[in-house]
Amino acid sequence: MSLWLAERSRQNAKTNLGQPFADVVVVGAGITGLTTAVLLARAGKDVLVLEARSPGAVTTGNTTGKISLLQGTVLSKIVSHHGADVARDYVQGNREGQDWLLHYCEANGVAVQREDAYTYAQSAGEVEAARAELAACRLAGLDAEWDDDAEVPFPYHGGVRLANQAQFDPMPLLDSLIDELTTRGGRLVEGVRVQGLSHRKGRVRLTARTGDAKVDVDAAQCVLATGMPILDRGGYFARLKPNRSYCLAFEVPGAITRPMFISAGAPTRSVRYAPAGDGERLIVAGASHVVGRKSPTAELEELSSWAREHYPGATQTHQWSAQDYTPVDHLPYVGSILPGDEKVFIATGFNKWGLAAGVAAALVLSGRILGGRMDWSKAFAAWSPHEIAGVTSAVRANLEVALHMAKGWVVPATRLGREASTDGGVVKGLPWHMEAQCTIDGVAHRVSPVCPHLGGIVNWNDADKSWECPLHGSRFAPDGTLLEGPATRGLTASS
């Protein structure tokens, strides 16, 4: 469990749906969904937020908590594929998202630490990439500078520094947003998983489940703020690559680095400090991988060793992971789920930088619903001429998906004699009778390995103790319970 989720007391969850209709239904209670809901409630809209699990349980509560306009090497990729004008729009959107977020935190007593942010070269081979990011920052209007010596305990060959960025624990922000939403007459209901949507007489009808009960919810408009959109229309599952990254928190006897750092190359090394109840923690992040295509045990051990080497005496206290979606054209998708559809909106593809960008998306979506516009929003458009730049990446990504689809149906036949470990999982069997088997804490689970989204065969992630689909990133608990989509149902019990 993340440092943010472990060290907080939950608000009382509301699970009673009440009136099954609203002006706007927002699906997903992370930072994007709740900010959108608050902005709409301020304008007098009747807003209902539906959350399948609990607020922040998926991505927002498992981030590194960095609120930065310097985002690794994102800007150099945008400049390379789309040019300086689009990069400036992207930065302006993130700047407005960051400003709104920081002003909200200040007004509502949410603690924020203002620190410099670095994209740095951890070896001589990464200097070129870091220098390219500096050039992109300046083209995009960021007042960044080069720093030859940041006085850090880990390998450093120079880096880009952007002053006065921010970091925080995101969960108090969500609590404050929920308080404002409910004060303004909005509703948040947990434990409601939306599984489908249809258009009816100028409105939208969402089909959902709460426990064992099926419910229908009507709305004039709907916002899907679910990471990967839960509806296949628009083909976003084919335009995004799901990646999972890991965070480790440590108690450190000595000084902890104050600025925020992220490396310009692989393996990723992301560093920040975090206030904790009894002092501070060092947070290091990395070990990123495409969901379902490997189990990052070795990479996590390497990440932990790196932290202990450079911060002597460090003792690990927490481990967690988050899932993010990399768009094929390096820009988020925010807007109508399909061109011309002003009833259903989506927000996805924040590429691991969804705090400032997620709030920017909320500004775009609320403005769109209320009849406003942001000039910079074209850099966030769900449907844009810019997408042509991502065609090659999209083709390559979907060829990889096809390969893993075929591999998933063939390889389990080679494991017929293999048993699950005492604390792990395996998929085995012939194509017409495959089974996913795992044993966790002495409890055995047997489920179908077929992902209900598009029929991929799941693999076991030993670090997260979960089943993961290598096609589009759906994740399931050991017993098959759905953790995150695009699937909208869990794995079925093994027959």
Side-chain angles (χ1 to χ4, degrees):
M1 182 176 288
S2 77
L3 183 65
W4 326 127
L5 293 173
E7 301 191 2
R8 71 184 296 264
S9 56
R10 281 283 315 279
Q11 292 188 339
N12 292 330
K14 181 178 179 181
T15 57
N16 180 20
L17 183 61
Q19 296 179 331
F21 55 83
D23 293 335
V24 183
V25 171
V26 176
V27 184
I31 189 170
T32 303
L34 286 173
T35 304
T36 302
V38 164
L39 291 169
L40 293 173
R42 286 179 179 179
K45 292 287 187 179
D46 176 26
V47 184
L48 170 62
V49 180
L50 301 179
E51 167 56 49
R53 296 170 66 182
S54 60
V58 182
T59 300
T60 301
N62 290 290
T63 66
T64 58
K66 296 180 180 180
I67 315 167
S68 177
L69 303 183
L70 180 62
Q71 301 175 350
T73 57
V74 167
L75 281 182
S76 53
K77 293 182 176 69
I78 293 175
V79 168
S80 175
H81 287 82
H82 304 289
D85 288 344
V86 173
R88 279 191 287 271
D89 285 338
Y90 176 79
V91 166
Q92 184 59 30
N94 275 268
R95 192 191 305 277
E96 292 196 19
Q98 183 191 62
D99 286 346
W100 190 97
L101 179 56
L102 294 178
H103 289 150
Y104 188 93
C105 288
E106 181 179 6
N108 291 276
V110 176
V112 172
Q113 300 85 51
R114 300 301 293 257
E115 300 290 350
D116 295 351
Y118 282 77
T119 293
Y120 78 101
Q122 59 187 331
S123 67
E126 292 181 11
V127 172
E128 182 179 356
R131 288 281 188 184
E133 190 65 17
L134 175 62
C137 285
R138 290 173 173 170
L139 285 172
L142 287 179
D143 190 19
E145 61 183 33
W146 187 261
D147 192 339
D148 281 315
D149 185 6
E151 299 182 351
V152 291
F154 45 81
Y156 179 91
H157 290 253
V160 187
R161 181 176 70 87
L162 184 63
N164 200 31
Q165 299 307 290
Q167 61 179 31
F168 74 158
D169 172 348
M171 295 310 296
L173 168 71
L174 296 194
D175 288 340
S176 184
L177 289 169
I178 293 167
D179 286 343
E180 180 175 354
L181 175 66
T182 54
T183 297
R184 294 181 180 274
R187 292 171 287 156
L188 165 66
V189 185
E190 300 181 33
V192 180
R193 183 169 295 282
V194 175
Q195 296 182 321
L197 181 149
S198 60
H199 290 74
R200 292 176 177 238
K201 298 180 180 179
R203 294 176 67 85
V204 293
R205 171 162 291 182
L206 294 91
T207 303
R209 296 199 73 85
T210 174
D212 294 328
K214 178 181 175 182
V215 295
D216 292 329
V217 181
D218 289 329
Q221 292 169 301
C222 173
V223 173
L224 301 178
T226 55
M228 178 81 81
I230 58 171
L231 302 180
D232 286 345
R233 63 193 73 171
Y236 294 95
F237 62 85
R239 301 158 64 190
L240 297 160
K241 180 173 282 190
N243 288 278
R244 199 147 193 91
S245 300
Y246 296 79
C247 293
L248 307 176
F250 296 86
E251 288 183 343
V252 177
I256 302 177
T257 307
R258 308 318 286 176
M260 301 173 286
F261 286 83
I262 187 167
S263 60
T268 299
R269 295 290 181 257
S270 172
V271 178
R272 63 159 286 195
Y273 76 90
D278 54 350
E280 292 182 344
R281 296 286 189 274
L282 165 71
I283 297 176
V284 298
S288 178
H289 65 95
V290 179
V291 178
R293 300 185 188 177
K294 69 180 299 183
S295 191
T297 305
E299 288 81 358
L300 278 171
E301 291 176 355
E302 181 185 6
L303 184 65
S304 180
S305 296
W306 182 90
R308 293 194 303 272
E309 176 185 357
H310 299 297
Y311 294 88
T315 303
Q316 186 174 324
T317 60
H318 298 77
Q319 175 180 313
W320 68 96
S321 61
Q323 192 149 307
D324 297 278
Y325 299 91
T326 302
V328 296
D329 63 346
H330 307 287
L331 292 169
Y333 302 133
V334 181
S336 300
I337 192 168
L338 288 171
D341 187 337
E342 293 299 311
K343 298 294 183 183
V344 182
F345 301 94
I346 58 94
T348 187
F350 300 126
N351 200 14
K352 304 182 183 180
W353 296 98
L355 294 178
V359 175
L363 295 172
V364 171
L365 293 174
S366 59
R368 182 84 165 263
I369 291 170
L370 297 171
R373 56 169 289 179
M374 282 77 177
D375 290 338
W376 46 263
S377 64
K378 53 185 175 291
F380 289 70
W383 298 94
S384 167
H386 299 313
E387 267 197 286
I388 193 68
V391 168
T392 301
S393 297
V395 170
R396 185 183 305 114
N398 284 282
L399 286 174
E400 292 173 4
V401 166
L403 172 65
H404 284 278
M405 169 70 90
K407 180 180 176 182
W409 282 91
V410 172
V411 171
T414 67
R415 304 176 181 146
L416 285 173
R418 179 177 165 187
E419 295 296 328
S421 68
T422 56
D423 198 29
V426 64
V427 176
K428 63 179 183 177
L430 298 172
W432 52 89
H433 190 63
M434 279 190 289
E435 188 174 67
Q437 304 174 0
C438 68
T439 302
I440 301 297
D441 298 328
V443 179
H445 303 280
R446 296 174 182 268
V447 295
S448 167
V450 182
C451 177
H453 177 227
L454 290 179
I457 302 302
V458 299
N459 290 315
W460 180 253
N461 182 327
D462 196 51
D464 281 323
K465 301 293 186 284
S466 61
W467 300 108
E468 299 181 345
C469 181
L471 273 57
H472 304 112
S474 296
R475 299 180 59 250
F476 309 87
D479 65 356
T481 301
L482 178 63
L483 297 176
E484 53 193 294
T488 58
R489 294 168 176 80
L491 302 175
T492 59
S494 179
S495 57

